[in-house]
């Protein structure tokens, strides 16, 4: 018989730059599988430090990468007990946001990369987060989410999916089918491509935010 127990848990998260009255954008950025948040957040170091403040939650499930047991990666979810683990992850994100006390004068941008897309979109849908922008990078949109889950979003919310032309995890036929599905859920979504593979291309992100 499988049982459950409730207990307190402690997890870290990382930030980049300082949150001040000059800050224009606060970013909540979710890494992909195999990352640690302290390394993922470094991808954003080239963005203006005065304008941008980054918060990178840490996926709770750590594991060793490779046979030498030296490098450590992390995963948000697996197919094992996905529903229960999702609830745990979302409560952790709630705690991070409560701790950070994001002021009202900033634009709130949420970015998910790879597996982080599923976490970002589920948190937005479950908590009715009316963010200023949602950037989805090289990740799949959760199958259980529908248009009714996002009725609270403003029509002004910028929603973009960015994909690498050489991404080995996405076949073009499946990409086109997925675009149609997600566009029915999020009608204002914009699709962008870059010339790389399964990666967060910071140049594309920079160009995008500079155009807003």
């Amino acid at each position: 018989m499988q049982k459950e127990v409730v207990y307190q848990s402690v997890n870290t998260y990382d930030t980049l730059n300082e949150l001040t009255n000059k800050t224009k954008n606060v970013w909540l950025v979710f890494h992909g599988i195999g990352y640690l948040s302290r390394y993922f957040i470094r991808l954003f170091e080239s963005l203006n430090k005065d304008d941008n403040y980054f918060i990178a939650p840490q996926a709770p499930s750590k594991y060793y990468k490779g046979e030498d047991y030296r490098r450590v990666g992390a995963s948000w979810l697996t197919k094992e007990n996905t529903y229960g683990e999702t609830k745990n992850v979302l409560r952790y994100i709630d705690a991070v946001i409560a701790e950070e006390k994001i002021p009202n004068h900033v634009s709130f941008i949420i970015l998910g990369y790879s597996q982080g897309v599923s976490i970002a979109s589920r948190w937005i849908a479950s908590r009715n987060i009316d963010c200023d922008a949602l950037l989805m990078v090289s990740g799949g949109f959760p199958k259980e989410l529908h248009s009714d889950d996002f009725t609270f979003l403003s029509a002004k919310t910028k929603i973009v999916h960015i994909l690498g032309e050489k991404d080995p995890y996405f076949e073009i036929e499946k990409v086109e089918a997925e675009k149609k599905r997600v566009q029915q859920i999020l009608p204002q979504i914009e699709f962008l491509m870059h010339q790389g593979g399964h990666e967060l291309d910071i140049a594309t992100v920079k160009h995008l935010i500079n155009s807003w």
Side-chain angles (χ1 to χ4, degrees):
M1 181 182 294
Q2 188 175 66
K3 301 181 180 181
E4 287 187 340
V5 63
V6 177
Y7 65 99
Q8 284 190 321
S9 181
V10 176
N11 195 8
T12 61
Y13 68 97
D14 287 86
T15 63
L16 177 67
N17 306 330
E18 293 186 25
L19 180 57
T20 71
N21 57 9
K22 295 182 181 179
T23 302
K24 295 180 180 179
N25 306 308
V26 170
W27 298 66
L28 183 65
V29 296
F30 295 92
H31 65 77
I33 192 169
Y35 269 98
L36 294 178
S37 59
R38 67 176 180 269
Y39 298 125
F40 182 67
I41 206 168
R42 294 178 186 175
L43 298 175
F44 303 91
E45 287 179 337
S46 61
L47 274 71
N48 186 287
K49 291 178 171 52
D50 294 327
D51 291 348
N52 299 286
Y53 177 69
F54 297 89
I55 305 166
Q58 173 60 64
S61 299
K62 319 293 194 306
Y63 60 91
Y64 284 111
K65 299 168 64 176
E67 297 180 357
D68 58 1
Y69 296 95
R70 296 181 63 184
R71 295 183 301 144
V72 176
S75 171
W76 289 104
L77 298 169
T78 67
K79 64 181 181 180
E80 180 69 19
N81 191 25
T82 305
Y83 179 72
E85 294 296 336
T86 298
K87 291 195 295 182
N88 289 337
V89 167
L90 298 184
R91 284 194 291 262
Y92 157 67
I93 299 166
D94 293 340
V96 170
I97 295 301
E99 181 70 18
E100 284 296 312
K101 299 179 178 63
I102 299 172
N104 293 327
H105 76 271
V106 301
S107 292
F108 187 35
I109 302 172
I110 300 176
L111 180 147
Y113 163 66
S114 192
Q115 192 187 40
V117 170
S118 66
I119 302 302
S121 52
R122 284 173 172 138
W123 184 67
I124 290 171
S126 65
R127 291 349 188 216
N128 287 11
I129 305 298
D130 190 9
C131 54
D132 294 280
L134 167 61
L135 305 185
M136 298 180 282
V137 182
S138 297
F141 198 76
K143 299 295 184 185
E144 78 273 13
L145 296 182
H146 304 282
S147 57
D148 291 345
D149 296 310
F150 296 93
T151 55
F152 58 88
L153 282 180
S154 167
K156 296 180 180 178
T157 301
K158 298 176 178 64
I159 304 176
V160 182
H161 190 281
I162 303 170
L163 184 65
E165 293 176 354
K166 301 173 184 175
D167 194 322
Y169 297 103
F170 291 89
E171 299 175 11
I172 190 63
E173 294 83 3
K174 293 181 179 179
V175 167
E176 292 303 318
E178 183 69 359
K179 279 183 178 180
K180 292 180 182 178
R181 182 180 78 90
V182 178
Q183 201 157 33
Q184 291 176 342
I185 300 171
L186 302 166
Q188 69 264 52
I189 194 169
E190 178 184 0
F191 297 96
L192 296 179
M193 301 285 286
H194 63 84
Q195 295 181 345
H198 192 75
E199 63 197 68
L200 192 154
D201 182 65
I202 200 64
T204 302
V205 175
K206 278 185 182 180
H207 178 75
L208 182 63
I209 63 173
N210 288 336
S211 68
W212 292 346

XYZ file of all heavy atoms in Angstrom, residues 16-17 25 27 29 41-54 109 111 135 200-210 212:
294
model
N 19.723 37.416 -9.951
C 20.775 38.115 -10.688
C 20.443 39.598 -10.724
O 19.315 39.974 -11.028
C 20.867 37.572 -12.116
C 21.883 38.236 -13.060
C 23.321 37.967 -12.600
C 21.689 37.734 -14.489
N 21.420 40.433 -10.393
C 21.288 41.887 -10.312
C 20.532 42.281 -9.043
O 20.235 41.423 -8.200
C 20.628 42.457 -11.567
C 21.343 42.042 -12.844
O 22.549 41.819 -12.839
N 20.606 41.915 -13.930
N 12.155 45.606 -15.360
C 11.619 44.263 -15.609
C 12.072 43.292 -14.527
O 13.258 43.233 -14.204
C 12.108 43.734 -16.962
C 11.810 44.672 -18.104
O 10.680 45.104 -18.288
N 12.828 45.001 -18.889
N 12.147 39.282 -14.024
C 12.018 38.036 -14.774
C 11.954 36.849 -13.813
O 12.789 36.726 -12.908
C 13.227 37.828 -15.673
C 13.460 38.845 -16.736
C 13.800 40.169 -16.553
C 13.405 38.640 -18.144
N 13.959 40.781 -17.772
C 13.731 39.874 -18.762
C 13.141 37.527 -18.947
C 13.779 40.022 -20.141
C 13.192 37.668 -20.320
C 13.499 38.905 -20.909
N 12.503 33.032 -14.280
C 13.023 32.185 -15.363
C 13.182 30.738 -14.882
O 13.799 30.475 -13.856
C 14.355 32.738 -15.906
C 14.126 34.102 -16.547
C 15.421 32.865 -14.825
N 20.929 30.958 -14.745
C 20.711 32.397 -14.629
C 21.853 33.198 -15.251
O 21.679 34.358 -15.645
C 20.493 32.784 -13.144
C 19.662 34.063 -13.049
C 21.811 32.915 -12.392
C 19.166 34.364 -11.642
N 23.012 32.593 -15.394
C 24.152 33.285 -16.004
C 23.916 33.592 -17.473
O 24.578 34.476 -18.041
C 25.415 32.437 -15.859
C 25.887 32.258 -14.423
C 27.111 31.362 -14.369
N 27.495 31.060 -12.990
C 28.473 30.229 -12.655
N 29.165 29.607 -13.620
N 28.761 29.999 -11.392
N 22.989 32.893 -18.108
C 22.682 33.153 -19.516
C 22.131 34.559 -19.729
O 22.141 35.077 -20.849
C 21.676 32.126 -20.037
C 22.121 30.661 -20.037
C 20.969 29.758 -20.463
C 23.320 30.451 -20.944
N 21.672 35.190 -18.658
C 21.037 36.497 -18.769
C 21.961 37.638 -18.335
O 21.516 38.788 -18.240
C 19.758 36.519 -17.920
C 18.771 35.451 -18.291
C 18.805 34.205 -17.662
C 17.825 35.666 -19.284
C 17.899 33.218 -18.002
C 16.925 34.677 -19.631
C 16.965 33.445 -18.991
N 23.218 37.352 -18.108
C 24.141 38.358 -17.587
C 24.381 39.517 -18.552
O 24.743 40.613 -18.125
C 25.481 37.714 -17.216
C 25.413 36.863 -15.962
C 26.743 36.218 -15.622
O 27.576 36.058 -16.543
O 26.949 35.873 -14.447
N 24.179 39.300 -19.840
C 24.454 40.348 -20.822
C 23.314 41.359 -20.953
O 23.484 42.398 -21.594
C 24.749 39.728 -22.192
O 23.638 38.990 -22.655
N 22.163 41.089 -20.355
C 21.070 42.055 -20.388
C 21.342 43.183 -19.387
O 22.032 42.984 -18.394
C 19.731 41.386 -20.073
C 19.014 40.750 -21.278
C 19.753 39.509 -21.744
C 17.576 40.393 -20.931
N 20.794 44.349 -19.677
C 21.052 45.530 -18.861
C 20.792 45.269 -17.381
O 19.687 44.881 -16.994
C 20.177 46.688 -19.359
C 20.488 47.989 -18.660
O 20.149 48.171 -17.498
N 21.131 48.907 -19.376
N 21.808 45.494 -16.565
C 21.737 45.146 -15.145
C 20.844 46.092 -14.352
O 20.261 45.696 -13.342
C 23.144 45.122 -14.552
C 23.998 43.980 -15.068
C 25.404 44.015 -14.502
C 26.172 42.735 -14.851
N 26.133 42.421 -16.300
N 20.750 47.343 -14.769
C 19.894 48.294 -14.065
C 18.422 48.069 -14.364
O 17.561 48.286 -13.506
C 20.278 49.729 -14.435
C 21.664 50.110 -13.941
O 22.064 49.619 -12.863
O 22.347 50.877 -14.637
N 18.136 47.640 -15.585
C 16.742 47.481 -16.016
C 16.127 46.149 -15.605
O 14.901 46.063 -15.454
C 16.639 47.592 -17.541
C 16.925 48.995 -18.054
O 16.982 49.932 -17.228
O 17.096 49.153 -19.276
N 16.963 45.111 -15.447
C 16.441 43.750 -15.328
C 16.899 43.059 -14.052
O 18.084 43.073 -13.708
C 16.896 42.921 -16.534
C 16.379 43.488 -17.841
O 15.200 43.363 -18.160
N 17.268 44.122 -18.612
N 15.950 42.431 -13.378
C 16.220 41.629 -12.186
C 15.671 40.231 -12.447
O 14.522 40.071 -12.882
C 15.540 42.247 -10.969
C 15.697 41.470 -9.689
C 16.938 41.380 -9.045
C 14.608 40.835 -9.102
C 17.078 40.676 -7.865
C 14.739 40.131 -7.912
C 15.968 40.055 -7.300
O 16.115 39.360 -6.123
N 16.485 39.226 -12.203
C 16.133 37.850 -12.542
C 15.995 36.978 -11.296
O 16.814 37.048 -10.382
C 17.192 37.237 -13.464
C 17.311 37.933 -14.785
C 18.170 39.006 -14.956
C 16.539 37.531 -15.864
C 18.269 39.660 -16.177
C 16.634 38.181 -17.091
C 17.506 39.251 -17.237
N 7.927 39.474 -16.296
C 8.156 38.600 -17.442
C 8.453 37.189 -16.945
O 9.322 36.997 -16.094
C 9.337 39.110 -18.293
C 9.073 40.548 -18.772
C 9.584 38.185 -19.483
C 10.260 41.191 -19.451
N 9.651 33.390 -18.094
C 10.312 32.648 -19.172
C 10.517 31.201 -18.737
O 11.005 30.931 -17.643
C 11.655 33.290 -19.519
C 12.483 32.621 -20.635
C 13.275 33.667 -21.420
C 13.454 31.566 -20.080
N 7.422 34.053 -22.151
C 8.315 33.563 -23.196
C 8.516 32.069 -23.000
O 8.984 31.632 -21.945
C 9.664 34.286 -23.146
C 9.654 35.811 -23.201
C 11.081 36.339 -23.274
C 8.848 36.298 -24.380
N 18.678 28.164 -25.294
C 18.135 29.492 -25.080
C 19.061 30.477 -25.776
O 20.181 30.715 -25.323
C 18.031 29.804 -23.580
C 17.221 31.053 -23.209
C 16.655 30.921 -21.815
C 18.074 32.322 -23.289
N 18.607 31.002 -26.908
C 19.407 31.939 -27.683
C 19.163 33.345 -27.146
O 18.138 33.957 -27.412
C 19.036 31.851 -29.163
C 19.875 32.773 -30.023
O 21.089 32.556 -30.111
O 19.301 33.734 -30.585
N 20.098 33.840 -26.352
C 19.890 35.107 -25.660
C 19.804 36.271 -26.635
O 19.142 37.282 -26.347
C 20.995 35.331 -24.601
C 20.520 36.356 -23.561
C 22.299 35.730 -25.247
C 19.349 35.930 -22.739
N 20.435 36.168 -27.801
C 20.345 37.229 -28.794
C 18.900 37.414 -29.266
O 18.443 38.547 -29.477
C 21.262 36.929 -29.977
N 18.182 36.313 -29.443
C 16.782 36.387 -29.846
C 15.937 37.021 -28.748
O 15.046 37.836 -29.014
C 16.241 34.986 -30.173
O 17.031 34.405 -31.215
C 14.793 35.044 -30.629
N 16.215 36.654 -27.512
C 15.491 37.239 -26.370
C 15.751 38.742 -26.298
O 14.813 39.535 -26.109
C 15.898 36.555 -25.059
C 15.256 37.240 -23.852
C 15.517 35.074 -25.081
N 16.997 39.145 -26.455
C 17.341 40.576 -26.426
C 16.608 41.351 -27.514
O 16.042 42.411 -27.272
C 18.853 40.741 -26.620
C 19.699 40.547 -25.402
C 21.143 40.882 -25.779
C 22.065 40.669 -24.608
N 23.472 40.991 -24.984
N 16.676 40.814 -28.713
C 16.017 41.484 -29.848
C 14.521 41.631 -29.586
O 13.916 42.669 -29.908
C 16.260 40.697 -31.128
C 15.586 41.267 -32.330
N 16.039 42.397 -32.977
C 14.466 40.876 -32.993
C 15.230 42.674 -33.986
N 14.276 41.775 -34.025
N 13.942 40.618 -28.998
C 12.506 40.625 -28.735
C 12.130 41.705 -27.733
O 11.237 42.522 -27.988
C 12.074 39.245 -28.219
C 10.600 39.047 -27.942
C 9.798 39.196 -29.224
C 10.368 37.679 -27.325
N 12.813 41.746 -26.607
C 12.440 42.717 -25.579
C 12.780 44.147 -26.008
O 12.115 45.095 -25.579
C 13.080 42.378 -24.215
C 14.606 42.439 -24.294
C 12.613 41.038 -23.718
C 15.275 42.282 -22.935
N 13.786 44.287 -26.845
C 14.118 45.626 -27.346
C 13.069 46.150 -28.318
O 12.957 47.355 -28.550
C 15.484 45.622 -28.027
C 16.624 45.497 -27.045
O 16.496 45.841 -25.866
N 17.765 44.992 -27.500
N 9.835 45.719 -27.863
C 8.591 46.000 -27.127
C 8.522 47.463 -26.731
O 9.492 48.106 -26.467
C 8.490 45.110 -25.901
C 8.292 43.661 -26.235
C 7.934 43.127 -27.432
C 8.460 42.547 -25.346
N 7.837 41.760 -27.347
C 8.166 41.376 -26.073
C 8.815 42.428 -24.003
C 8.221 40.112 -25.518
C 8.864 41.164 -23.447
C 8.581 40.017 -24.200
